[in-house]
Amino acid sequence: MLGTNGVTVRFGKRVLYEDVNVKFTPGNCYGVIGANGAGKSTFLKVLTGELEPSEGEVYMTKNERLGVLKQDHYMYDDVKVIDTVIRGNERLYEIMKEKDALYAKPDFNDEDGIKAGELEAEFAELNGWMAETDAAQLLTGLGIDVELHEMLMRELTGPQKVKVLLAQALFGNPDVLILDEPTNHLDMAAISWLEEFLINFENTVIVVSHDRYFLNKVCTHILDIDYGKINIFVGNYDFWYESSQLALKQMKDANKKKEEKIKELEDFIRRFSANASKSKQATSRKKTLEKIQLDEIKPSTRRYPYIDFKPEREAGKEILNVEDLCVSVDGERILNNVSFKVLKDDKIALVGPNSIAKTTLFKALMGEIKPDSGTISYGQTIKQSYVPQDNEEYFKVDKSIVEWIADDYGITDETIVRSFLGRMLFSGDEALKKINVLSGGEKARCMLARAMLEAPNLIFLDEPTNHLDLESITALNEGLIRTNAELIFVSHDHQFVQTVANRIIEIKENGEIIDRRCTYDEYLEQNVELMKKETSFSEE
């Protein structure tokens, strides 16, 4: 069992939270939520012992083991993939190495035999005989093919390393599992596998995530960091949201009634305090008035940007026509005879296992790469905007956010720029930040701001929710539902795709596509039915 006793975390004069008393019990999954900068990752570091609290203590049952998702993707570059996973249980890994060293000794003696026996007993107790099998199953479940298991970590791509480090955290049935943004860089198949793993995990899970669907699927409790406190709610993310909104509404309603009562009492006192026959009643009402206390409603640290895509003009009948598009990257065919038309009111989600293929399609549509063959044609009324997944090239100039926006769009009135940026949460001095030092979330909001200013009627979005907090994701989600621009987008956020898309284009591993006019959940159901039919056919 893991818990905190009177934990306070402060940096200088800034207090993140104080007097936190939480007990994490087995069989539950705790989702940690809060605005950017509220201290979610800091709280996980306190729980793991990476950071000492300013006051209070963290306690854990003796001999229990923590499984922690490592954030350093280069930490194990010289280690084999399978060994990296097994190192999730460092003691087991040490025993395996000690055993190998002992048995390799040319002068193996009786003392070595005794030591080997002790190691073998501890090895068996830690289920060491199943270590490689269990590690391989975790890797395969997360989409790391068997042929990669014996390779060095440095030979893997960034997303593959993330999956291996996640497998490492899950390995060996830890008593407490602590995961900071585990769904980042995972494809939807891996996220689905992780959801099922955590649902069936019998010990304690503590997780930070910006994926609302994921939090709803796996969490039994929500830890909300706000108002300088950490409050715990029983239930998933939606239950927390509804409960917190209801509690806030009830508090505001109660205050409104109290304010009305105060006004009524003050009116009576003012009218009759000088009236001898009413003086006792006026005095009684003064005492009643003194007892009424309004509930303090502190301002939340949560801030929602206002994201609204308003096209400069409505798209005509012809929007986008792609015919027999073939694109190769480094000699490998990525897109193969891709054909589709974008029609009025289309909001298309691109799905499939190959993230490179989806990004390649966007680059081809924007003219950033030349296709091998095929055609891409836009209607005369079309004005497109592109929010890429990798936006670093846009932020390599030494300008403030205000200058960056004003210069690019020829806006000479700084008041107009500042007003617009304020809606995107860059108010006051924040709007004067240099763009080359912004955080990932700030850069993502800047890119969305650019797209809004372009007033497009066709929008391409490649993983737009990456780096955004829950509040910004919610605002973007609502903005895309509301807009009458046509969309083609990629996202690993299940709820985002389900609520925005009305058409799904799947890019298969061979570069061809399957085009379905349906919601994302309907697409998943159709895939399950298809797999069942294929399995039934193969059995016959």
Side-chain angles (χ1 to χ4, degrees):
M1 183 182 294
L2 178 70
T4 66
N5 185 16
V7 163
T8 294
V9 175
R10 66 172 69 90
F11 296 102
K13 292 182 179 179
R14 185 189 177 207
V15 178
L16 283 183
Y17 24 78
E18 55 187 353
D19 196 26
V20 177
N21 298 286
V22 182
K23 184 187 289 183
F24 302 100
T25 55
N28 290 318
C29 178
Y30 300 83
V32 183
I33 64 172
N36 275 352
K40 301 183 293 294
S41 295
T42 299
F43 185 61
L44 296 195
K45 289 177 181 178
V46 169
L47 293 178
T48 61
E50 187 179 339
L51 180 68
E52 283 289 323
S54 307
E55 295 174 19
E57 63 173 357
V58 175
Y59 60 87
M60 187 170 179
T61 304
K62 190 177 180 181
N63 296 326
E64 287 194 341
R65 187 171 67 83
L66 280 174
V68 181
L69 176 58
K70 302 284 196 312
Q71 300 298 319
D72 184 353
H73 298 172
Y74 304 98
M75 187 175 180
Y76 301 96
D77 268 3
D78 295 321
V79 181
K80 286 198 301 184
V81 168
I82 195 80
D83 289 345
T84 301
V85 176
I86 295 171
R87 289 187 69 166
N89 187 337
E90 199 62 52
R91 178 55 189 154
L92 175 59
Y93 186 74
E94 289 170 3
I95 291 170
M96 293 171 71
K97 292 303 175 187
E98 282 187 64
K99 280 174 54 187
D100 291 345
L102 271 177
Y103 292 136
K105 287 179 69 174
D107 55 345
F108 190 89
N109 55 36
D110 290 344
E111 187 178 334
D112 293 331
I114 293 169
K115 179 63 177 175
E118 292 171 352
L119 290 173
E120 289 288 5
E122 192 175 355
F123 179 74
E125 189 178 326
L126 293 173
N127 201 28
W129 296 111
M130 291 296 294
E132 290 197 2
T133 300
D134 290 345
Q137 287 178 346
L138 289 170
L139 288 168
T140 304
L142 286 165
I144 301 296
D145 294 334
V146 175
E147 57 264 26
L148 302 178
H149 294 186
E150 295 298 320
M151 293 173 64
L152 293 178
M153 284 287 282
R154 69 169 65 253
E155 300 176 82
L156 270 56
T157 64
Q160 288 172 334
K161 286 182 178 181
V162 171
K163 290 181 178 182
V164 176
L165 293 176
L166 179 56
Q168 180 192 74
L170 306 179
F171 176 77
N173 197 36
D175 299 286
V176 180
L177 187 54
I178 296 182
L179 306 172
D180 192 355
E181 294 290 358
T183 61
N184 276 5
H185 307 292
L186 293 187
D187 53 68
M188 286 184 163
I191 292 173
S192 180
W193 180 91
L194 178 61
E195 287 167 355
E196 292 305 314
F197 181 94
L198 296 180
I199 288 168
N200 295 311
F201 189 69
E202 296 180 352
N203 297 332
T204 304
V205 181
I206 304 167
V207 59
V208 169
S209 177
H210 291 148
D211 188 325
R212 297 159 296 171
Y213 183 87
F214 179 79
L215 291 172
N216 279 328
K217 195 87 182 283
V218 305
C219 288
T220 60
H221 298 71
I222 295 293
L223 267 70
D224 179 31
I225 303 178
D226 204 357
Y227 310 108
K229 297 285 185 183
I230 298 182
N231 294 310
I232 189 165
F233 294 78
V234 177
N236 62 14
Y237 176 79
D238 279 351
F239 186 82
W240 161 80
Y241 183 79
E242 291 167 8
S243 299
S244 61
Q245 292 300 303
L246 178 61
L248 183 61
K249 183 179 184 301
Q250 288 173 338
M251 195 178 293
K252 287 180 177 178
D253 289 346
N255 272 359
K256 187 177 180 182
K257 288 180 180 179
K258 288 178 183 178
E259 287 168 350
E260 289 171 355
K261 184 66 176 176
I262 288 170
K263 186 177 183 301
E264 179 187 319
L265 291 170
E266 287 175 340
D267 286 346
F268 187 92
I269 294 165
R270 185 172 56 256
R271 288 168 57 199
F272 298 112
S273 58
N275 186 321
S277 63
K278 298 274 189 176
S279 61
K280 284 187 178 180
Q281 294 179 41
T283 302
S284 173
R285 279 167 171 73
K286 279 183 182 179
K287 291 179 181 178
T288 303
L289 182 61
E290 289 168 0
K291 292 177 183 178
I292 298 176
Q293 297 290 327
L294 293 176
D295 293 319
E296 183 184 6
I297 302 177
K298 295 181 180 179
S300 172
T301 56
R302 288 185 167 84
R303 299 190 300 164
Y304 291 82
Y306 181 70
I307 298 176
D308 192 28
F309 294 98
K310 289 185 177 178
E312 192 173 276
R313 63 182 294 186
E314 190 174 330
K317 187 177 180 182
E318 296 294 324
I319 298 175
L320 171 62
N321 187 24
V322 178
E323 287 189 10
D324 299 323
L325 187 70
C326 294
V327 182
S328 298
V329 176
D330 296 330
E332 180 184 354
R333 178 63 59 88
I334 301 296
L335 299 173
N336 190 21
N337 293 320
V338 170
S339 297
F340 64 91
K341 278 187 178 182
V342 176
L343 305 177
K344 193 67 179 161
D345 299 324
D346 271 352
K347 295 183 177 180
I348 302 169
L350 301 179
V351 302
N354 190 343
S355 60
I356 294 173
K358 290 171 278 192
T359 297
T360 299
L361 177 56
F362 282 130
K363 288 182 176 180
L365 294 176
M366 290 301 296
E368 293 183 9
I369 57 175
K370 187 177 179 181
D372 304 336
S373 59
T375 60
I376 298 169
S377 56
Y378 290 94
Q380 291 185 348
T381 61
I382 299 306
K383 182 179 183 182
Q384 68 264 41
S385 182
Y386 175 38
V387 178
Q389 186 174 167
D390 182 3
N391 57 35
E392 286 304 313
E393 287 298 318
Y394 292 81
F395 297 93
K396 290 184 176 179
V397 293
D398 186 29
K399 292 182 180 181
S400 69
I401 302 174
V402 168
E403 292 169 334
W404 188 66
I405 291 290
D407 292 351
D408 275 13
Y409 294 95
I411 305 173
T412 55
D413 188 342
E414 186 176 308
T415 306
I416 294 173
V417 179
R418 279 184 166 276
S419 175
F420 175 75
L421 289 174
R423 301 190 326 186
M424 295 303 290
L425 308 184
F426 296 110
S427 56
D429 290 342
E430 288 179 324
L432 299 177
K433 282 183 178 178
K434 293 291 186 180
I435 63 166
N436 52 11
V437 298
L438 297 180
S439 68
E442 289 170 329
K443 288 177 179 176
R445 278 188 276 125
C446 280
M447 293 303 295
L448 291 170
R450 285 174 58 94
M452 288 163 58
L453 280 170
E454 287 167 355
N457 49 25
L458 177 59
I459 309 171
F460 302 136
L461 301 149
D462 192 357
E463 294 290 0
T465 61
N466 281 2
H467 307 295
L468 293 180
D469 59 19
L470 278 164
E471 291 71 41
S472 296
I473 291 172
T474 300
L476 175 59
N477 199 159
E478 291 172 353
L480 292 182
I481 291 171
R482 193 169 54 242
T483 186
N484 59 355
E486 280 67 49
L487 309 174
I488 302 179
F489 70 97
V490 174
S491 176
H492 289 141
D493 185 312
H494 185 120
Q495 186 170 337
F496 188 87
V497 179
Q498 170 59 20
T499 53
V500 174
N502 56 21
R503 181 176 170 189
I504 307 294
I505 293 181
E506 177 187 353
I507 303 179
K508 300 192 293 182
E509 290 186 0
N510 64 3
E512 297 176 354
I513 67 167
I514 298 175
D515 191 348
R516 298 174 186 171
R517 189 164 291 281
C518 62
T519 67
Y520 182 61
D521 281 346
E522 289 168 343
Y523 157 78
L524 292 177
E525 288 172 12
Q526 291 171 16
N527 270 16
V528 169
E529 290 302 315
L530 183 61
M531 288 175 65
K532 284 180 180 177
K533 288 178 182 179
E534 288 176 350
T535 303
S536 174
F537 181 77
S538 63
E539 287 173 352
E540 291 175 6

